[in-house]
Amino acid sequence: MNPALLAGLRVVELSAYVATPLCGLTLAQLGADVVRVEPLGGAADRTRWPLSDSGTSLYWSGLNKGKRAVAVDLESEADRRRVADLIVDGGPCVVVTNTSRHADLGYEALRARRPDLIHVLLDGRAGGGAAVDYTVQAATGFPLLTGTGSAPVNHVVPAWDVCAGLYLSIGLLAAERHRQVTGEGRSIRVALEDVALATAGNLGYLAEAQLTDHARTKSGNEIYGTYGDDFETADGVRVMIVLLTERHWQKMLAATGLSDAFAGLGESLGISFATESDRYRHRDVITPLLARWFGQTPYAEVAEVLTRHRILWERYRSFAELGRDGGAALRELTLFGEVDQPGAGAHWAPKSPIQVDGDRLPPRPAPEVGQHNGDVLGATRS
């Protein structure tokens, strides 16, 4: 069964950094023909860390696997016309971009030539204000809940970029469905700040701030409103456990042999551990007893017991561990396939997380600067 569901979809991507390249990657991994348009010499994010030993950006390579690439002088009206021709000539096209710098490559100008155009634009803020993931993080409230110290801590994962890239993909595919039905194009816009604030609202955090006097504080690896925390085993391995339901809680008590201890504690203190809220409220009672069990138990036994009792848990692993021995741990996962990236070398890279009838397209290398100029722009008008 062919997992290339988007075969035949033409996408022209004028973008940089995370969200819009991720949108293009998501489409390419499902079979779309994605052409990345860059300035002469390559986009600014081609040198972004992490780098291979030879200086090739592994960041850029990771976000641009399987695309084609052309390089043009975007300050040249003639070259911008070539890009516009690429977009409007031939079959229906989708434009994905995070810039409105050049009006002749904007939605209105392109739609005048191609009414069925789908144009997808990422803004920093609604209305066009500038922002990036790490500045958006500062405005949302999340960094004030992260970490354990007094200072705000931004997350190392650019979560809003990632979410925005996927929202762009969803909006784009909704517009493509509309085009298939009606023949009409659409302008789709997503603002990075809107994505972050919508998430804070959808999770109830903003409603809580408006409707209650609950003051959220930093809680390390504790999980707000339920029971979860990290523990160190007798031989120094750290694990994270999550107990969402009463069934999880009872399984944890059975696994650790602490059923009678907690029953006695509940009776003597006049408290209950029956509900998710109860367990969060009384985490200061729960954690010391669990920490004592973990601290007296070697990791191998912890792993066996928690797995046998179907507890939600995992051992903390570093990137170095995941990549050790040529990515031995990654080779075991069907998500990964080997790719030989020019300038970097052969390594295990992810396919799409989306499985189509149990299958996924293999990863393909990211393109070199201007690699497809002849194939893509040779047939366009100059």
Side-chain angles (χ1 to χ4, degrees):
M1 193 69 67
N2 187 353
L5 295 181
L6 298 182
L9 179 65
R10 286 201 316 131
V11 181
V12 175
E13 179 191 315
L14 297 98
S15 69
Y17 297 103
V18 181
T20 41
L22 177 63
C23 174
L25 173 66
T26 301
L27 303 173
Q29 289 181 322
L30 290 171
D33 177 19
V34 181
V35 177
R36 171 95 184 239
V37 178
E38 300 180 86
L40 296 177
D45 56 339
R46 271 193 182 263
T47 59
R48 199 175 192 198
W49 288 30
L51 306 175
S52 69
D53 290 341
S54 65
T56 297
S57 172
L58 301 175
Y59 161 96
W60 198 94
S61 300
L63 284 170
N64 292 280
K65 296 188 298 293
K67 301 178 186 179
R68 296 194 286 170
V70 299
V72 298
D73 181 1
L74 288 170
E75 301 310 309
S76 160
E77 184 177 347
D79 269 13
R80 291 199 304 276
R81 179 73 181 192
R82 296 176 73 198
V83 175
D85 289 346
L86 170 66
I87 293 167
V88 303
D89 289 347
C93 185
V94 177
V95 175
V96 176
T97 185
N98 63 345
T99 179
S100 52
R101 180 178 177 186
H102 301 295
D104 48 357
L105 293 177
Y107 176 61
E108 295 301 333
L110 294 171
R111 183 180 65 163
R113 298 180 60 192
R114 184 92 202 198
D116 64 352
L117 176 75
I118 295 173
H119 189 277
V120 181
L121 174 64
L122 175 74
D123 292 313
R125 294 186 174 89
V132 295
D133 186 284
Y134 298 104
T135 61
V136 166
Q137 285 194 41
T140 62
F142 286 101
L144 297 172
L145 304 180
T146 304
T148 57
S150 59
V153 178
N154 278 6
H155 203 292
V156 67
V157 176
W160 309 128
D161 271 332
V162 172
C163 291
L166 300 178
Y167 270 115
L168 290 168
S169 302
I170 293 168
L172 181 157
L173 293 175
E176 172 62 10
R177 180 184 183 280
H178 178 78
R179 181 167 65 182
Q180 292 286 339
V181 173
T182 68
E184 300 173 349
R186 278 290 187 266
S187 169
I188 303 295
R189 296 183 75 158
V190 174
L192 199 60
E193 185 177 60
D194 285 356
V195 169
L197 291 174
T199 301
N202 293 339
L203 294 175
Y205 297 168
L206 298 183
E208 179 187 48
Q210 296 170 76
L211 302 175
T212 78
D213 59 358
H214 299 164
R216 294 287 300 272
T217 59
K218 292 174 177 286
S219 54
N221 285 336
E222 293 177 350
I223 303 174
Y224 185 65
T226 193
Y227 189 82
D229 212 340
D230 67 297
F231 296 91
E232 186 172 348
T233 66
D235 43 356
V237 178
R238 295 203 75 86
V239 300
M240 179 73 190
I241 67 163
V242 181
L243 308 175
L244 296 174
T245 67
E246 170 68 5
R247 183 173 61 85
H248 293 153
W249 171 245
Q250 292 300 332
K251 283 178 174 293
M252 190 69 197
L253 295 185
T256 57
L258 292 172
S259 298
D260 291 343
F262 276 103
L265 268 176
E267 184 176 350
S268 64
L269 297 176
I271 60 177
S272 171
F273 303 106
T275 70
E276 197 173 25
S277 295
D278 289 334
R279 292 186 290 276
Y280 179 73
R281 226 175 260 118
H282 304 304
R283 62 194 183 280
D284 58 332
V285 176
I286 296 171
T287 297
L289 283 179
L290 291 184
R292 185 170 182 271
W293 180 82
F294 278 99
Q296 294 176 340
T297 310
Y299 170 73
E301 183 178 344
V302 166
E304 189 280 324
V305 169
L306 297 185
T307 300
R308 175 159 44 87
H309 285 83
R310 300 179 63 82
I311 306 297
L312 296 172
W313 76 281
E314 187 53 86
R315 173 174 64 89
Y316 284 90
R317 295 187 291 181
S318 67
F319 290 133
E321 184 177 353
L322 289 169
R324 188 177 299 152
D325 299 326
L330 305 179
R331 287 199 298 273
E332 298 176 1
L333 305 175
T334 60
L335 173 65
F336 287 84
E338 191 170 29
V339 65
D340 191 357
Q341 179 63 46
H347 62 283
W348 292 87
K351 310 169 191 175
S352 173
I354 301 170
Q355 295 187 53
V356 179
D357 294 325
D359 199 6
R360 329 180 211 225
L361 294 175
R364 294 179 291 150
E368 298 177 1
V369 177
Q371 180 177 337
H372 301 98
N373 269 41
D375 295 340
V376 175
L377 295 178
T380 63
R381 298 193 302 269
S382 58

